[in-house]
């Protein structure tokens, strides 16, 4: 889809702003959609040709995304992680990226977490088939850097790892780009 086609697909959710989504690839454009800046619903990402390649859904204000009848947006991270692990291998198998996010590369699905007023909730991030290979890998996959910044997937063995980049640890790209959130 082009930017115009993507906007027409969600006519009730107006564009709030556009932003650079990648520090190393300034041509990657992100578009935030929602009813107000305080209530973002969907983030769409476009490559240098203006083609949609990634969509992320806000855990609180976004539309519901389901897989096999299971709601992926706004869910309990532990329950959805177990649900992913229980899926049949024919679905592609769960993979974990360097920051611990579970997903299924064959489907182009990664689950992220988001802080909400009621605690952590899941934020599905999806890429198209052309970009699905290694989508869980936040270093080599196609998902823009802006989607990896922030809350990390909870892991009981590493409770101190809460956000990336860690507080007081400026990222290598701080002099040229800052996350849009």
């Amino acid at each position: 889809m082009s930017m115009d086609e993507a906007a027409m697909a969600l006519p009730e959710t107006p564009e709030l702003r556009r932003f650079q989504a990648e520090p190393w690839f300034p041509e990657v454009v992100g578009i935030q959609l929602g009813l107000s800046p305080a209530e973002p619903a969907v983030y769409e990402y476009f490559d240098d040709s203006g083609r949609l390649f990634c969509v992320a859904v806000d855990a609180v204000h976004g539309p519901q995304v389901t897989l096999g009848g299971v709601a992926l947006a706004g869910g309990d991270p532990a329950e959805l992680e177990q649900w992913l692990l229980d899926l049949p291998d024919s679905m592609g198998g769960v993979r974990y990226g360097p920051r611990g996010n579970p997903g299924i590369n064959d489907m182009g699905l990664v689950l992220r977490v988001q802080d909400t007023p009621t605690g952590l909730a899941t934020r599905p991030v999806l890429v198209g088939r052309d970009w699905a290979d290694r989508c869980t890998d936040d270093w080599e996959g196609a998902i823009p850097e802006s989607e990896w910044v922030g809350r990390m997937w909870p892991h009981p063995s590493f409770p101190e790892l809460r956000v990336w980049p860690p507080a007081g640890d400026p990222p290598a790209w701080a002099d040229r780009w800052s996350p849009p959130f």
Side-chain angles (χ1 to χ4, degrees), residues 18-40:
R18 293 181 183 208
F19 56 91
Q20 180 186 351
E22 263 294 333
W24 312 112
F25 303 101
E27 66 277 4
V28 176
V29 175
I31 298 178
Q32 181 186 51
L33 305 171
L35 299 177
S36 76
E39 298 180 356

Side-chain angles (χ1 to χ4, degrees), residues 76-89:
D76 176 88
E79 289 177 13
L80 281 175
E81 183 176 20
Q82 187 58 55
W83 177 79
L84 282 175
L85 290 167
D86 292 340
L87 287 173
D89 288 339

Side-chain angles (χ1 to χ4, degrees), residues 102-119:
I104 301 175
N105 286 337
D106 291 353
M107 297 178 77
L109 168 68
V110 176
L111 287 183
R112 294 275 292 130
V113 289
Q114 178 179 325
D115 282 312
T116 73
T118 59

Side-chain angles (χ1 to χ4, degrees), residues 14-147:
E15 180 180 320
L16 300 175
R17 66 189 176 101
R18 293 181 183 208
F19 56 91
Q20 180 186 351
E22 263 294 333
W24 312 112
F25 303 101
E27 66 277 4
V28 176
V29 175
I31 298 178
Q32 181 186 51
L33 305 171
L35 299 177
S36 76
E39 298 180 356
V42 177
Y43 294 83
E44 299 175 333
Y45 298 97
F46 299 85
D47 64 16
D48 59 349
S49 69
R51 186 173 156 202
L52 177 68
F53 72 93
C54 181
V55 175
V57 177
D58 187 83
V60 177
H61 305 290
Q64 192 50 261
V65 175
T66 62
L67 177 61
V70 174
L72 301 180
D76 176 88
E79 289 177 13
L80 281 175
E81 183 176 20
Q82 187 58 55
W83 177 79
L84 282 175
L85 290 167
D86 292 340
L87 287 173
D89 288 339
S90 63
M91 299 284 285
V94 175
R95 302 285 184 262
Y96 288 88
R99 296 183 194 136
N101 297 282
I104 301 175
N105 286 337
D106 291 353
M107 297 178 77
L109 168 68
V110 176
L111 287 183
R112 294 275 292 130
V113 289
Q114 178 179 325
D115 282 312
T116 73
T118 59
L120 286 183
T122 53
R123 172 187 180 90
V125 181
L126 305 122
V127 297
R129 185 169 284 122
D130 292 349
W131 299 275
D133 181 40
R134 296 185 311 251
C135 72
T136 56
D137 189 334
D138 49 14
W139 295 103
E140 294 185 20
I143 294 174
E145 187 68 33
S146 61
E147 275 304 320

